[in-house]
Amino acid sequence: MTILPPDPDFSALRVEFARLRGERGWTFDELANRSGLARRTLIDLEHGRTPGNLTTWHALAHVFDVPIEHLLAVLCGNHTPPGGNDT
């Protein structure tokens, strides 16, 4: 029997992205200028239309000045992260 890993919580990632952007008071245009990412990409990320890719989240981690682990950790918010079991 194959045991599949839990689904990542992309909704939590979207919420954290919106929180970080809002905390700084940045518009999508300003974040696009700071990150080099397309405004449409940023809007689609925040509205959950795309999960993005590692390159996108890496760029955003740098712009927000947070470790990429901070962003990616929220993907496990609805389950125990890998390595979190002491069995």
Side-chain angles (χ1 to χ4, degrees):
M1 172 190 236
T2 302
I3 299 174
L4 299 174
D7 290 333
D9 189 354
F10 287 111
S11 183
L13 183 57
R14 176 185 64 75
V15 168
E16 181 61 9
F17 170 62
R19 186 191 70 76
L20 289 167
R21 187 178 68 80
E23 193 175 80
R24 287 155 179 79
W26 294 344
T27 64
F28 286 115
D29 287 328
E30 186 170 0
L31 183 53
N33 288 333
R34 290 173 179 269
S35 68
L37 299 169
R39 180 179 184 273
R40 179 84 257 159
T41 297
L42 299 169
I43 292 169
D44 287 348
L45 285 171
E46 191 167 309
H47 292 158
R49 294 184 197 115
T50 182
N53 61 42
L54 191 53
T55 302
T56 300
W57 291 109
H58 181 255
L60 290 170
H62 278 278
V63 171
F64 289 133
D65 194 30
V66 298
I68 195 164
E69 299 87 40
H70 173 84
L71 293 173
L72 299 181
V74 301
L75 292 171
C76 296
N78 62 356
H79 60 270
T80 301
N85 295 329
D86 291 336
T87 57

Coordinates of all heavy atoms in Angstrom, one line a residue:
M1 N 0.8 -1.2 0.0 CA 0.0 0.0 0.0 C 0.9 1.2 0.0 O 1.8 1.4 0.8 CB -0.9 0.0 1.2 CG -1.7 1.3 1.4 SD -2.5 1.3 3.0 CE -4.1 1.6 2.5
T2 N 0.6 2.1 -0.9 CA 1.4 3.4 -1.0 C 0.7 4.4 -0.1 O -0.5 4.6 -0.1 CB 1.4 3.9 -2.4 OG1 2.0 2.9 -3.3 CG2 2.2 5.2 -2.6
I3 N 1.5 5.1 0.7 CA 1.1 6.2 1.6 C 1.5 7.5 1.0 O 2.7 7.7 0.8 CB 1.6 6.0 3.0 CG1 1.1 4.7 3.6 CG2 1.2 7.2 3.8 CD1 1.7 4.4 5.0
L4 N 0.6 8.3 0.6 CA 0.9 9.6 0.0 C 1.1 10.6 1.0 O 0.4 10.6 2.1 CB -0.3 10.0 -1.0 CG -0.5 9.0 -2.1 CD1 -1.8 9.5 -2.9 CD2 0.7 8.9 -3.1
P5 N 2.0 11.6 0.8 CA 2.1 12.7 1.7 C 0.9 13.6 1.7 O 0.1 13.6 0.7 CB 3.3 13.5 1.2 CG 3.4 13.1 -0.3 CD 2.8 11.7 -0.4
P6 N 0.7 14.3 2.8 CA -0.5 15.2 2.8 C -0.3 16.3 1.8 O 0.8 16.7 1.3 CB -0.5 15.8 4.2 CG 0.7 15.3 4.9 CD 1.4 14.4 4.0
D7 N -1.5 16.9 1.3 CA -1.4 18.0 0.4 C -0.8 19.2 1.0 O -1.1 19.5 2.2 CB -2.8 18.3 -0.1 CG -3.4 17.2 -1.0 OD1 -2.6 16.5 -1.7 OD2 -4.6 17.1 -1.1
P8 N 0.0 20.0 0.3 CA 0.5 21.3 0.8 C -0.7 22.3 0.9 O -1.6 22.2 0.2 CB 1.5 21.7 -0.2 CG 1.2 21.0 -1.5 CD 0.5 19.7 -1.1
D9 N -0.6 23.1 1.9 CA -1.6 24.1 2.2 C -1.3 25.4 1.4 O -0.8 26.4 2.0 CB -1.7 24.4 3.7 CG -2.9 25.2 4.1 OD1 -3.6 25.7 3.2 OD2 -3.2 25.4 5.3
F10 N -1.6 25.4 0.1 CA -1.4 26.6 -0.7 C -2.2 27.8 -0.3 O -1.8 28.9 -0.5 CB -1.6 26.3 -2.2 CG -0.5 25.4 -2.8 CD1 -0.8 24.1 -3.1 CD2 0.8 25.9 -2.9 CE1 0.2 23.3 -3.7 CE2 1.7 25.1 -3.5 CZ 1.4 23.8 -3.9
S11 N -3.3 27.5 0.4 CA -4.1 28.6 0.9 C -3.3 29.4 1.9 O -3.3 30.6 2.0 CB -5.4 28.1 1.4 OG -6.2 29.2 1.8
A12 N -2.7 28.7 2.8 CA -1.9 29.3 3.9 C -0.7 30.1 3.3 O -0.4 31.2 3.8 CB -1.4 28.3 4.9
L13 N -0.1 29.6 2.2 CA 1.0 30.3 1.6 C 0.5 31.6 1.0 O 1.1 32.7 1.1 CB 1.6 29.4 0.5 CG 2.8 30.0 -0.2 CD1 3.9 30.3 0.7 CD2 3.3 29.0 -1.3
R14 N -0.7 31.5 0.3 CA -1.3 32.7 -0.2 C -1.6 33.8 0.8 O -1.3 35.0 0.7 CB -2.6 32.3 -0.9 CG -3.4 33.4 -1.5 CD -4.7 32.9 -2.1 NE -5.6 32.4 -1.1 CZ -6.3 33.1 -0.2 NH1 -6.3 34.4 -0.2 NH2 -7.1 32.5 0.7
V15 N -2.1 33.3 2.0 CA -2.4 34.2 3.1 C -1.2 34.9 3.6 O -1.1 36.1 3.9 CB -3.2 33.5 4.2 CG1 -3.3 34.3 5.4 CG2 -4.6 33.1 3.7
E16 N -0.1 34.1 3.8 CA 1.2 34.6 4.3 C 1.8 35.6 3.3 O 2.3 36.7 3.7 CB 2.2 33.5 4.6 CG 3.5 34.0 5.1 CD 3.4 34.7 6.5 OE1 2.3 34.7 7.1 OE2 4.4 35.3 6.9
F17 N 1.7 35.4 2.0 CA 2.1 36.3 1.0 C 1.4 37.6 1.1 O 2.0 38.7 1.2 CB 1.9 35.7 -0.4 CG 2.1 36.6 -1.5 CD1 3.4 37.2 -1.7 CD2 1.1 36.9 -2.4 CE1 3.6 38.1 -2.8 CE2 1.3 37.8 -3.4 CZ 2.5 38.4 -3.6
A18 N 0.1 37.5 1.2 CA -0.8 38.8 1.4 C -0.4 39.5 2.6 O -0.3 40.7 2.7 CB -2.2 38.4 1.3
R19 N -0.2 38.8 3.7 CA 0.2 39.4 5.0 C 1.5 40.2 4.9 O 1.6 41.3 5.3 CB 0.3 38.4 6.1 CG 0.5 39.0 7.5 CD 0.8 37.9 8.5 NE 2.2 37.4 8.3 CZ 3.3 38.0 8.7 NH1 3.3 39.2 9.2 NH2 4.5 37.4 8.5
L20 N 2.5 39.5 4.3 CA 3.8 40.2 4.2 C 3.7 41.4 3.3 O 4.3 42.5 3.6 CB 4.8 39.2 3.6 CG 5.3 38.1 4.5 CD1 6.0 37.0 3.8 CD2 6.1 38.6 5.7
R21 N 3.0 41.3 2.2 CA 2.8 42.5 1.3 C 2.1 43.6 2.0 O 2.5 44.8 2.0 CB 2.1 42.1 0.0 CG 2.1 43.2 -1.0 CD 1.4 42.7 -2.3 NE -0.1 42.5 -2.1 CZ -1.0 43.5 -2.1 NH1 -0.6 44.7 -2.2 NH2 -2.2 43.2 -1.9
G22 N 1.0 43.3 2.7 CA 0.2 44.2 3.4 C 1.0 44.9 4.6 O 0.8 46.1 4.8
E23 N 1.7 44.1 5.3 CA 2.5 44.6 6.4 C 3.5 45.7 5.9 O 3.8 46.6 6.7 CB 3.3 43.4 6.9 CG 4.0 43.6 8.2 CD 4.6 42.3 8.7 OE1 5.7 41.9 8.2 OE2 4.0 41.6 9.5
R24 N 4.0 45.6 4.7 CA 4.9 46.6 4.2 C 4.1 47.7 3.5 O 4.8 48.7 3.1 CB 5.9 45.9 3.2 CG 6.9 45.1 4.0 CD 7.5 43.9 3.2 NE 8.4 43.2 4.0 CZ 8.1 42.2 4.9 NH1 6.8 42.0 5.2 NH2 9.1 41.6 5.5
G25 N 2.9 47.5 3.2 CA 2.1 48.6 2.6 C 2.4 48.7 1.1 O 2.2 49.7 0.5
W26 N 2.9 47.6 0.5 CA 3.3 47.6 -0.9 C 2.1 47.3 -1.8 O 1.4 46.4 -1.6 CB 4.4 46.6 -1.2 CG 5.7 46.9 -0.5 CD1 6.1 48.1 0.0 CD2 6.8 46.1 -0.3 NE1 7.4 48.0 0.5 CE2 7.8 46.8 0.3 CE3 7.0 44.7 -0.7 CZ2 9.0 46.2 0.7 CZ3 8.2 44.1 -0.3 CH2 9.2 44.9 0.3
T27 N 2.0 48.0 -2.9 CA 1.0 47.7 -3.9 C 1.6 46.6 -4.8 O 2.8 46.3 -4.7 CB 0.7 48.9 -4.8 OG1 1.9 49.3 -5.5 CG2 0.2 50.1 -4.0
F28 N 0.8 46.0 -5.6 CA 1.3 45.0 -6.6 C 2.3 45.6 -7.5 O 3.3 45.0 -7.8 CB 0.1 44.4 -7.4 CG -0.7 43.4 -6.5 CD1 -2.0 43.7 -6.3 CD2 -0.2 42.2 -6.1 CE1 -2.8 42.8 -5.6 CE2 -0.9 41.4 -5.3 CZ -2.3 41.6 -5.1
D29 N 2.1 46.9 -7.9 CA 3.0 47.5 -8.8 C 4.4 47.7 -8.1 O 5.4 47.5 -8.7 CB 2.5 48.9 -9.2 CG 1.4 48.8 -10.2 OD1 1.4 47.8 -11.0 OD2 0.5 49.7 -10.2
E30 N 4.4 48.1 -6.8 CA 5.6 48.3 -6.1 C 6.3 47.0 -5.9 O 7.6 46.9 -6.1 CB 5.4 49.0 -4.8 CG 6.6 49.4 -4.0 CD 6.4 50.2 -2.8 OE1 5.3 50.6 -2.5 OE2 7.4 50.6 -2.2
L31 N 5.6 46.0 -5.5 CA 6.2 44.7 -5.4 C 6.8 44.1 -6.7 O 7.9 43.6 -6.7 CB 5.2 43.7 -4.8 CG 5.8 42.3 -4.4 CD1 7.0 42.3 -3.6 CD2 4.7 41.4 -3.8
A32 N 6.1 44.4 -7.8 CA 6.6 44.0 -9.1 C 7.9 44.7 -9.4 O 8.9 44.0 -9.8 CB 5.6 44.3 -10.2
N33 N 8.0 46.0 -9.1 CA 9.2 46.7 -9.3 C 10.4 46.2 -8.5 O 11.5 46.1 -8.9 CB 9.0 48.2 -9.1 CG 8.2 48.9 -10.2 OD1 8.1 48.4 -11.3 ND2 7.5 49.9 -9.8
R34 N 10.1 45.9 -7.2 CA 11.1 45.4 -6.3 C 11.6 44.0 -6.6 O 12.7 43.7 -6.4 CB 10.6 45.4 -4.8 CG 10.3 46.8 -4.3 CD 9.6 46.7 -2.9 NE 9.5 48.0 -2.3 CZ 10.3 48.6 -1.5 NH1 11.4 48.0 -1.2 NH2 10.1 49.8 -1.0
S35 N 10.7 43.2 -7.1 CA 11.0 41.8 -7.3 C 11.4 41.4 -8.7 O 12.0 40.4 -8.9 CB 9.8 40.9 -6.9 OG 8.7 41.1 -7.8
G36 N 11.0 42.2 -9.7 CA 11.2 41.8 -11.1 C 10.2 40.9 -11.6 O 10.3 40.4 -12.7
L37 N 9.2 40.5 -10.8 CA 8.1 39.6 -11.2 C 7.0 40.4 -11.8 O 6.8 41.6 -11.5 CB 7.6 38.8 -10.0 CG 8.7 37.9 -9.3 CD1 8.1 37.4 -8.0 CD2 9.1 36.8 -10.2
A38 N 6.3 39.8 -12.7 CA 5.1 40.5 -13.3 C 4.0 40.7 -12.3 O 3.7 39.9 -11.4 CB 4.6 39.6 -14.5
R39 N 3.4 41.9 -12.4 CA 2.3 42.3 -11.6 C 1.2 41.2 -11.6 O 0.7 40.9 -10.6 CB 1.8 43.7 -12.0 CG 0.6 44.2 -11.2 CD 0.2 45.5 -11.8 NE -0.9 46.1 -11.0 CZ -2.2 45.9 -11.2 NH1 -2.6 45.1 -12.2 NH2 -3.1 46.4 -10.4
R40 N 0.9 40.7 -12.8 CA -0.1 39.7 -13.0 C 0.2 38.4 -12.2 O -0.6 37.8 -11.6 CB -0.3 39.4 -14.5 CG -1.3 38.3 -14.8 CD -2.7 38.9 -14.9 NE -3.5 38.6 -13.6 CZ -4.5 39.3 -13.2 NH1 -5.0 40.3 -13.9 NH2 -5.1 39.0 -12.1
T41 N 1.5 38.1 -12.2 CA 1.9 36.9 -11.5 C 1.7 37.1 -10.0 O 1.2 36.2 -9.3 CB 3.4 36.6 -11.7 OG1 3.6 36.3 -13.1 CG2 4.0 35.5 -10.8
L42 N 2.0 38.3 -9.5 CA 1.8 38.5 -8.0 C 0.3 38.5 -7.7 O -0.1 38.0 -6.6 CB 2.4 39.9 -7.7 CG 3.9 40.0 -7.9 CD1 4.4 41.4 -7.8 CD2 4.7 39.0 -7.0
I43 N -0.5 39.1 -8.5 CA -1.9 39.1 -8.3 C -2.5 37.6 -8.3 O -3.2 37.2 -7.4 CB -2.7 39.9 -9.3 CG1 -2.4 41.4 -9.1 CG2 -4.2 39.7 -9.2 CD1 -2.8 42.3 -10.2
D44 N -2.0 36.9 -9.2 CA -2.5 35.5 -9.3 C -2.0 34.6 -8.1 O -2.7 33.8 -7.6 CB -2.0 34.8 -10.6 CG -2.7 35.3 -11.9 OD1 -3.8 36.0 -11.7 OD2 -2.2 35.0 -13.0
L45 N -0.8 34.9 -7.6 CA -0.3 34.2 -6.4 C -1.2 34.6 -5.2 O -1.7 33.7 -4.5 CB 1.1 34.6 -6.1 CG 2.2 34.1 -6.9 CD1 3.5 34.8 -6.6 CD2 2.3 32.6 -6.7
E46 N -1.5 35.8 -5.0 CA -2.2 36.3 -3.8 C -3.7 35.8 -3.9 O -4.3 35.6 -2.9 CB -2.1 37.8 -3.7 CG -2.7 38.2 -2.3 CD -2.3 39.6 -2.0 OE1 -1.1 40.0 -2.0 OE2 -3.2 40.4 -1.6
H47 N -4.2 35.7 -5.1 CA -5.6 35.3 -5.2 C -5.8 33.8 -5.4 O -6.9 33.3 -5.6 CB -6.3 36.1 -6.4 CG -6.4 37.5 -6.1 ND1 -6.5 38.5 -7.1 CD2 -6.4 38.2 -4.9 CE1 -6.6 39.7 -6.5 NE2 -6.5 39.5 -5.2
G48 N -4.7 33.1 -5.3 CA -4.7 31.6 -5.4 C -5.0 31.0 -6.8 O -5.4 29.9 -6.9
R49 N -4.7 31.8 -7.8 CA -4.9 31.3 -9.1 C -3.7 30.4 -9.6 O -3.9 29.7 -10.6 CB -5.1 32.4 -10.1 CG -6.4 33.2 -9.9 CD -6.7 34.3 -10.9 NE -7.7 35.2 -10.4 CZ -7.5 36.4 -10.1 NH1 -6.3 37.0 -10.3 NH2 -8.4 37.2 -9.6
T50 N -2.6 30.6 -9.0 CA -1.4 29.8 -9.3 C -0.6 29.5 -8.0 O -0.6 30.4 -7.1 CB -0.5 30.5 -10.3 OG1 0.6 29.6 -10.6 CG2 0.0 31.8 -9.8
P51 N 0.0 28.4 -7.8 CA 0.8 28.2 -6.6 C 2.2 28.8 -6.8 O 3.0 28.9 -5.8 CB 0.9 26.6 -6.6 CG 0.8 26.2 -8.0 CD -0.2 27.2 -8.6
G52 N 2.6 29.2 -8.0 CA 3.9 29.7 -8.2 C 4.9 28.6 -8.4 O 4.6 27.4 -8.4
N53 N 6.2 29.0 -8.4 CA 7.2 28.0 -8.5 C 8.4 28.4 -7.5 O 8.3 29.5 -6.9 CB 7.8 27.8 -9.9 CG 8.3 29.1 -10.5 OD1 9.1 29.8 -9.8 ND2 8.1 29.3 -11.8
L54 N 9.3 27.5 -7.4 CA 10.4 27.8 -6.4 C 11.2 29.1 -6.7 O 11.5 29.8 -5.8 CB 11.3 26.6 -6.4 CG 12.3 26.6 -5.3 CD1 11.7 26.7 -3.9 CD2 13.1 25.3 -5.3
T55 N 11.4 29.3 -8.0 CA 12.1 30.6 -8.4 C 11.3 31.8 -7.9 O 11.9 32.8 -7.4 CB 12.4 30.6 -9.9 OG1 13.1 29.4 -10.2 CG2 13.1 31.8 -10.3
T56 N 10.0 31.8 -8.1 CA 9.2 32.9 -7.7 C 9.2 33.1 -6.2 O 9.4 34.2 -5.7 CB 7.7 32.7 -8.2 OG1 7.7 32.5 -9.6 CG2 6.8 33.8 -7.7
W57 N 9.1 32.0 -5.4 CA 9.1 32.2 -4.0 C 10.4 32.5 -3.5 O 10.5 33.3 -2.5 CB 8.5 30.9 -3.3 CG 7.0 30.7 -3.6 CD1 6.5 29.8 -4.5 CD2 6.0 31.6 -3.1 NE1 5.1 30.0 -4.5 CE2 4.8 31.1 -3.7 CE3 6.0 32.7 -2.3 CZ2 3.6 31.7 -3.4 CZ3 4.7 33.3 -2.0 CH2 3.6 32.8 -2.6
H58 N 11.5 32.1 -4.1 CA 12.8 32.5 -3.8 C 13.0 34.0 -3.9 O 13.5 34.7 -3.0 CB 13.8 31.7 -4.6 CG 15.3 32.0 -4.3 ND1 16.0 32.8 -5.1 CD2 16.0 31.7 -3.3 CE1 17.2 32.9 -4.6 NE2 17.3 32.2 -3.5
A59 N 12.6 34.5 -5.1 CA 12.6 36.0 -5.3 C 11.8 36.7 -4.2 O 12.3 37.8 -3.7 CB 12.1 36.3 -6.7
L60 N 10.7 36.3 -3.9 CA 9.8 36.9 -2.9 C 10.4 36.9 -1.5 O 10.4 37.9 -0.8 CB 8.4 36.4 -2.9 CG 7.6 36.7 -4.2 CD1 6.3 35.9 -4.2 CD2 7.3 38.2 -4.3
A61 N 11.1 35.8 -1.2 CA 11.7 35.7 0.1 C 12.8 36.8 0.2 O 12.9 37.4 1.3 CB 12.3 34.3 0.3
H62 N 13.5 37.0 -0.8 CA 14.6 38.0 -0.8 C 14.0 39.4 -0.7 O 14.4 40.2 0.1 CB 15.5 37.9 -2.1 CG 16.5 36.9 -1.9 ND1 17.7 37.1 -1.3 CD2 16.6 35.6 -2.4 CE1 18.4 36.0 -1.3 NE2 17.8 35.1 -2.0
V63 N 12.9 39.6 -1.5 CA 12.3 41.0 -1.4 C 11.7 41.3 0.0 O 11.8 42.4 0.5 CB 11.2 41.1 -2.5 CG1 10.4 42.3 -2.4 CG2 11.9 41.1 -3.9
F64 N 11.0 40.2 0.5 CA 10.4 40.4 1.9 C 11.5 40.3 3.0 O 11.1 40.5 4.2 CB 9.3 39.4 2.1 CG 8.1 39.6 1.3 CD1 7.5 38.6 0.6 CD2 7.5 40.9 1.2 CE1 6.3 38.8 -0.1 CE2 6.3 41.1 0.5 CZ 5.8 40.0 -0.2
D65 N 12.7 39.9 2.7 CA 13.8 39.7 3.6 C 13.4 38.7 4.7 O 13.6 39.0 5.9 CB 14.2 41.1 4.2 CG 15.5 41.0 5.0 OD1 16.4 40.2 4.6 OD2 15.7 41.7 6.0
V66 N 12.9 37.6 4.3 CA 12.6 36.5 5.2 C 13.2 35.2 4.6 O 13.4 35.1 3.4 CB 11.0 36.2 5.3 CG1 10.4 37.4 5.9 CG2 10.4 35.9 4.0
P67 N 13.6 34.3 5.4 CA 14.2 33.0 4.9 C 13.1 32.3 4.1 O 11.9 32.3 4.4 CB 14.5 32.2 6.2 CG 14.5 33.2 7.3 CD 13.6 34.3 6.9
I68 N 13.5 31.7 3.0 CA 12.5 30.9 2.2 C 11.8 29.9 3.0 O 10.7 29.6 2.8 CB 13.2 30.3 0.9 CG1 12.1 29.9 -0.1 CG2 14.2 29.2 1.3 CD1 12.6 29.7 -1.5
E69 N 12.5 29.4 4.1 CA 11.9 28.4 4.9 C 10.6 29.0 5.6 O 9.7 28.3 5.9 CB 12.8 27.9 6.0 CG 14.1 27.2 5.5 CD 15.2 28.2 5.2 OE1 15.4 29.1 6.0 OE2 15.8 28.0 4.2
H70 N 10.6 30.3 5.9 CA 9.5 30.9 6.5 C 8.3 30.8 5.6 O 7.2 30.5 6.0 CB 9.8 32.4 6.8 CG 8.7 33.2 7.2 ND1 8.3 33.2 8.5 CD2 7.8 34.0 6.5 CE1 7.2 34.0 8.7 NE2 6.9 34.5 7.5
L71 N 8.5 31.1 4.3 CA 7.4 31.0 3.4 C 6.9 29.5 3.2 O 5.7 29.2 3.2 CB 7.8 31.6 2.0 CG 8.1 33.1 2.0 CD1 8.6 33.5 0.6 CD2 6.8 33.8 2.3
L72 N 7.9 28.6 3.0 CA 7.5 27.3 2.7 C 7.0 26.5 3.8 O 6.2 25.5 3.7 CB 8.7 26.5 2.0 CG 9.2 27.1 0.7 CD1 10.4 26.3 0.2 CD2 8.1 27.3 -0.3
A73 N 7.3 26.9 5.1 CA 6.9 26.2 6.3 C 5.3 26.2 6.4 O 4.7 25.3 6.9 CB 7.5 26.8 7.5
V74 N 4.7 27.3 5.9 CA 3.3 27.4 6.0 C 2.5 26.3 5.1 O 1.4 26.1 5.4 CB 2.7 28.8 5.7 CG1 3.3 29.8 6.6 CG2 2.9 29.2 4.2
L75 N 3.2 25.7 4.2 CA 2.6 24.7 3.4 C 2.2 23.5 4.2 O 1.4 22.7 3.9 CB 3.6 24.2 2.3 CG 3.9 25.3 1.2 CD1 5.0 24.8 0.3 CD2 2.6 25.6 0.4
C76 N 2.9 23.3 5.4 CA 2.6 22.2 6.3 C 1.8 22.6 7.5 O 1.7 21.9 8.5 CB 4.0 21.6 6.8 SG 5.0 20.9 5.5
G77 N 1.1 23.7 7.4 CA 0.3 24.2 8.5 C -0.9 23.4 8.9 O -1.3 23.4 10.0
N78 N -1.3 22.5 7.9 CA -2.5 21.7 8.2 C -2.1 20.2 8.5 O -3.0 19.4 8.6 CB -3.5 21.8 7.1 CG -3.0 21.2 5.8 OD1 -1.8 20.9 5.7 ND2 -3.8 21.2 4.8
H79 N -0.8 20.0 8.7 CA -0.3 18.7 9.0 C 1.1 18.8 9.7 O 1.7 19.8 9.6 CB -0.3 17.8 7.8 CG 0.6 18.2 6.7 ND1 0.2 19.1 5.7 CD2 1.9 18.0 6.5 CE1 1.1 19.3 4.9 NE2 2.2 18.7 5.3
T80 N 1.5 17.7 10.2 CA 2.8 17.6 10.8 C 3.9 17.7 9.7 O 3.8 16.9 8.8 CB 3.0 16.3 11.6 OG1 2.0 16.2 12.6 CG2 4.4 16.3 12.3
P81 N 4.8 18.6 9.8 CA 5.9 18.7 8.8 C 6.7 17.5 8.8 O 6.8 16.8 9.8 CB 6.7 19.9 9.3 CG 5.9 20.6 10.3 CD 5.0 19.6 10.9
P82 N 7.4 17.2 7.6 CA 8.3 16.1 7.6 C 9.4 16.2 8.6 O 9.9 17.3 8.9 CB 8.9 16.2 6.2 CG 8.0 17.1 5.4 CD 7.3 18.0 6.4
G83 N 9.7 15.1 9.2 CA 10.7 15.1 10.3 C 10.2 15.6 11.6 O 10.9 15.6 12.6
G84 N 8.9 15.9 11.7 CA 8.3 16.3 12.9 C 7.9 15.2 13.9 O 7.5 15.5 15.0
N85 N 8.0 14.0 13.4 CA 7.6 12.9 14.3 C 8.9 12.3 15.0 O 9.9 12.1 14.4 CB 7.0 11.7 13.5 CG 5.7 12.2 12.8 OD1 5.0 13.0 13.4 ND2 5.4 11.6 11.7
D86 N 8.8 12.0 16.2 CA 9.9 11.4 17.0 C 9.6 9.9 17.2 O 9.5 9.5 18.3 CB 10.1 12.1 18.3 CG 10.6 13.5 18.2 OD1 11.3 13.8 17.1 OD2 10.4 14.4 19.1
T87 N 9.4 9.2 16.1 CA 9.1 7.8 16.3 C 10.3 6.9 16.0 O 11.2 7.3 15.4 CB 7.9 7.4 15.3 OG1 8.2 7.7 14.0 CG2 6.6 8.0 15.8

